[in-house]
Amino acid sequence: MDGNGPRGTRSPRPQPDGAPTWRERAAALRYVPALVKMVWGTHRGYTAAMVALRLLRSVIPIAALWVGKLIIDVVVASLSEAPDYS
């Protein structure tokens, strides 16, 4: 096959490891609203918990970077101080 899709357009090449392409990943996002609506209809508490936990998980890397920054600031500050030998 020549890799051409309908009407002569090129179809995306499959990834060697079977992973979806970025275009396929973006296209899959169209199903998210229907999924959230379905979960909301099943149990509103589950939906609220799902959203809250997603937000919490998104803050954790930023918090880890902030803690790392604080540690580096303390190390730099301690290295810049002159030792007191008296």
Side-chain angles (χ1 to χ4, degrees):
M1 302 222 42
D2 59 2
N4 288 335
R7 289 182 259 144
T9 59
R10 296 198 56 86
S11 60
R13 292 183 182 168
Q15 298 293 325
D17 60 354
T21 63
W22 285 105
R23 185 173 298 206
E24 291 169 337
R25 291 173 195 229
L29 290 176
R30 71 175 183 251
Y31 299 112
V32 172
L35 173 67
V36 172
K37 185 178 178 182
M38 202 181 319
V39 174
W40 182 262
T42 303
H43 198 284
R44 292 180 181 178
Y46 289 156
T47 308
M50 180 178 67
V51 170
L53 290 173
R54 286 264 178 199
L55 290 174
L56 181 65
R57 281 185 66 182
S58 69
V59 172
I60 289 172
I62 297 168
L65 288 172
W66 181 257
V67 170
K69 177 210 174 292
L70 294 176
I71 292 170
I72 291 172
D73 288 346
V74 169
V75 170
V76 169
S78 67
L79 291 175
S80 65
E81 293 177 6
D84 186 19
Y85 294 115
S86 51

